[in-house]
Amino acid sequence: MYDKRKFFAGLAVIFGVALILPIYFLVLQINEDRVVDRYLAEHNLDNLPVSKSTAVTIAKQVESDFNVDPSTFQHLKMDNRPFLREDAGFLLTCKEGLCGEGARVIVRLLNARGFDATRVTLYDRYMQFAHTVVSVQLGNDRFWIDTINSKDSLTNLLETENISENNFQYLDYSDKISQRLDKIEQHRSVDETVEFQKNMGEYFLYSFESIPYTKLLSKVGIQKRVFNLKRPPHFISVLAEKPNMIKFWASLTGALALTLICVKPVRRYFRKPQ
């Protein structure tokens, strides 16, 4: 037998101490949310309708505010960024970054305004990262908007045309060669990709990278590229741009796991003498 009152009190102390880190990350997330909301209010962006025009307006505001010359960065260390990258609060405070940082900020601002927005990475024909844009879904419509540190030609194309992953017309995998050839032939008969690729320039391939599969694999020594052609669920897109919230859930899970691991030792410690 063991003293149940002392047992539960001991577990409560362990769990309470373990909660310090999750609470810290939660406070950081709350502060970041406040910075995002304040930015929207200060630039009169919080009452605009949910439309492509508003999405472009928000993106242009971020573009005009951000310094995109790494040689002059004072706060953002491009060669020493954390794995989850800097949060939007930090970026909106220092206003430094390239297209990836711009995408994080724009996605956060759009999602805070009620949009369904997620990041999209564009690759060149060498399969190297070339640019990051933002994909927005409004009902059944999807379109991309540009971020920062980009070419005027791409910005103009995305503003004037509803460009999205649908324009790339990649075919789904088929194990049957006959079906594969039939699908290729059908696409060739109505193929508009030559003109589209000419307008897109160097950008050959896209990948939704709210979950950075390639980067995750590289961290465990697996040098494989993963290109995700399917749009992630909205909650994944929202969570992916909130590194503090990711750390909160990870540390909370760790706190719960630690408490469960301590159940037997604590019970043994408070065992009543026979």
Side-chain angles (χ1 to χ4, degrees):
M1 291 293 293
Y2 60 94
D3 189 319
K4 290 185 178 180
R5 185 174 62 84
K6 291 182 178 179
F7 166 73
F8 285 113
L11 283 185
V13 170
I14 292 172
F15 186 57
V17 172
L19 276 180
I20 293 175
L21 193 58
I23 291 173
Y24 169 72
F25 289 127
L26 184 59
V27 170
L28 291 180
Q29 184 58 59
I30 291 171
N31 289 335
E32 180 200 338
D33 292 341
R34 288 173 178 167
V35 173
V36 169
D37 292 340
R38 185 164 60 247
Y39 184 86
L40 288 168
E42 288 176 350
H43 294 87
N44 299 315
L45 301 170
D46 50 350
N47 291 316
L48 297 177
V50 178
S51 64
K52 180 176 180 178
S53 175
T54 295
V56 171
T57 298
I58 290 174
K60 281 184 170 295
Q61 182 65 60
V62 174
E63 180 188 21
S64 66
D65 284 343
F66 267 62
N67 173 17
V68 295
D69 182 359
S71 66
T72 63
F73 288 175
Q74 298 295 316
H75 305 283
L76 183 63
K77 309 301 181 184
M78 293 301 293
D79 289 336
N80 192 30
R81 293 176 294 174
F83 179 78
L84 295 175
R85 302 298 189 248
E86 303 290 356
D87 64 64
F90 173 89
L91 297 173
L92 283 171
T93 301
C94 73
K95 293 184 173 62
E96 298 172 346
L98 300 180
C99 56
E101 287 72 34
R104 165 150 292 174
V105 169
I106 293 168
V107 169
R108 286 285 284 112
L109 293 170
L110 290 178
N111 285 333
R113 284 289 297 109
F115 287 84
D116 181 349
T118 190
R119 69 169 55 226
V120 182
T121 297
L122 303 180
Y123 290 82
D124 59 23
R125 65 189 183 93
Y126 303 106
M127 299 302 173
Q128 295 297 308
F129 161 84
H131 191 47
T132 303
V133 297
V134 173
S135 171
V136 178
Q137 179 167 317
L138 290 179
N140 295 324
D141 296 329
R142 292 182 181 180
F143 55 86
W144 291 355
I145 57 174
D146 208 357
T147 53
I148 61 178
N149 190 49
S150 55
K151 298 178 179 178
D152 290 341
S153 57
L154 177 63
T155 303
N156 294 334
L157 175 65
L158 297 184
E159 286 182 11
T160 56
E161 304 289 341
N162 277 354
I163 302 298
S164 73
E165 62 274 18
N166 296 330
N167 294 92
F168 284 83
Q169 299 183 359
Y170 295 129
L171 294 174
D172 294 331
Y173 174 78
S174 175
D175 192 43
K176 295 182 179 180
I177 186 65
S178 58
Q179 291 181 353
R180 198 182 312 164
L181 293 175
D182 287 343
K183 288 182 179 179
I184 292 173
E185 189 59 35
Q186 289 172 11
H187 269 60
R188 282 175 177 167
S189 63
V190 292
D191 196 3
E192 299 176 352
T193 56
V194 173
E195 183 66 23
F196 170 69
Q197 287 294 346
K198 184 175 70 174
N199 290 330
M200 287 297 290
E202 64 184 300
Y203 308 118
F204 176 77
L205 179 68
Y206 75 88
S207 178
F208 288 102
E209 296 195 347
S210 289
I211 302 177
Y213 295 106
T214 299
K215 188 166 71 171
L216 290 168
L217 289 173
S218 69
K219 289 298 181 180
V220 295
I222 302 175
Q223 296 302 320
K224 299 292 183 182
R225 287 192 175 277
V226 178
F227 300 101
N228 184 19
L229 304 181
K230 185 177 180 181
R231 184 185 182 86
H234 180 55
F235 80 94
I236 294 292
S237 300
V238 172
L239 182 61
E241 306 303 339
K242 294 183 174 183
N244 293 314
M245 186 57 71
I246 295 173
K247 294 174 185 176
F248 164 75
W249 286 113
S251 56
L252 180 61
T253 301
L256 290 169
L258 176 63
T259 304
L260 291 174
I261 290 171
C262 290
V263 167
K264 286 185 177 181
V266 172
R267 181 183 296 165
R268 192 179 306 118
Y269 182 80
F270 290 110
R271 182 177 297 167
K272 293 180 179 180
Q274 299 296 327

